[in-house]
């Protein structure tokens, strides 16, 4: 065990940088929410309006299309949750700190993956499970 002397707010992020990351995340949340709404209306309208042709192949294609829309929506919802979590971490002053080992995640990693909550080491450990 090494001594844990890190504070909750890593000094490597300036206020301006955090504000920038936060704005980008919030922007993405807005775009994703718009996507979700669009997909949901497509899913809903697909059920109601396109019920005319109901032969087997057509139904199969529609089911596939519908499932794809649902998968996209779930994926978008997941991203929204991750973004909102990152924003909450910025607001709480814990952004950039690994949730598992509480060491700084690393600025380069966060610039590539702004939603990352784990450092590379912990992430790799988690993926091996
Ligand atoms: Zn870690």
């Amino acid at each position: 065990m090494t001594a844990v002397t890190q504070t909750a707010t890593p000094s490597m992020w300036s206020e301006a940088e955090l504000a920038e990351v936060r704005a980008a995340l919030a922007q993405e949340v807005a775009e994703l929410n718009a996507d979700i709404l669009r997909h949901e209306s497509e899913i809903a309208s697909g059920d109601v309006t396109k019920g005319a042709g109901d032969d087997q192949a057509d139904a199969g294609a529609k089911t596939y299309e519908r499932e794809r829309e649902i998968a996209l929506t779930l994926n978008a919802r997941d991203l929204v949750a991750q973004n909102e979590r990152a924003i909450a971490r910025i607001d709480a002053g814990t952004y950039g700190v690994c949730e598992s080992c509480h060491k700084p995640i690393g600025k380069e990693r966060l610039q590539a993956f702004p939603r990352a909550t784990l450092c590379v080491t912990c992430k790799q450990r988690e993926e091996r499970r």
Side-chain angles (χ1 to χ4, degrees):
M1 278 296 273
T2 51
V4 180
T5 50
Q6 265 115 17
T7 57
T9 43
S11 57
M12 53 186 176
W13 289 90
S14 70
E15 296 267 319
E17 283 169 333
L18 280 176
E20 207 173 291
V21 174
R22 195 186 190 287
L25 289 165
Q27 167 74 24
E28 206 175 50
V29 167
E31 283 168 12
L32 286 164
N33 278 329
D35 268 2
I36 291 168
L37 277 177
R38 194 165 47 80
H39 285 305
E40 279 180 344
S41 69
E42 277 169 23
I43 293 163
S45 69
D47 277 345
V48 187
T49 59
K50 291 173 195 160
D54 56 356
D55 64 88
Q56 207 75 10
D58 213 37
K62 252 182 278 176
T63 306
Y64 172 79
E65 188 62 25
R66 189 165 184 276
E67 275 169 5
R68 203 180 60 92
E69 290 284 343
I70 292 169
L72 283 171
T73 307
L74 287 177
N75 187 45
R77 278 190 197 286
D78 193 44
L79 283 176
V80 167
Q82 286 180 42
N83 279 18
E84 283 176 343
R85 194 160 163 209
I87 290 169
R89 282 161 60 81
I90 289 171
D91 292 345
T94 58
Y95 187 71
V97 179
C98 175
E99 284 189 337
S100 180
C101 68
H102 304 290
K103 288 177 188 160
I105 291 174
K107 205 165 179 174
E108 274 178 30
R109 172 163 162 74
L110 281 167
Q111 276 164 345
F113 307 101
R115 296 175 215 97
T117 55
L118 294 173
C119 69
V120 176
T121 311
C122 292
K123 179 74 184 166
Q124 282 170 349
R125 195 173 55 216
E126 188 170 86
E127 278 170 0
R128 274 202 298 269
R129 278 208 298 249

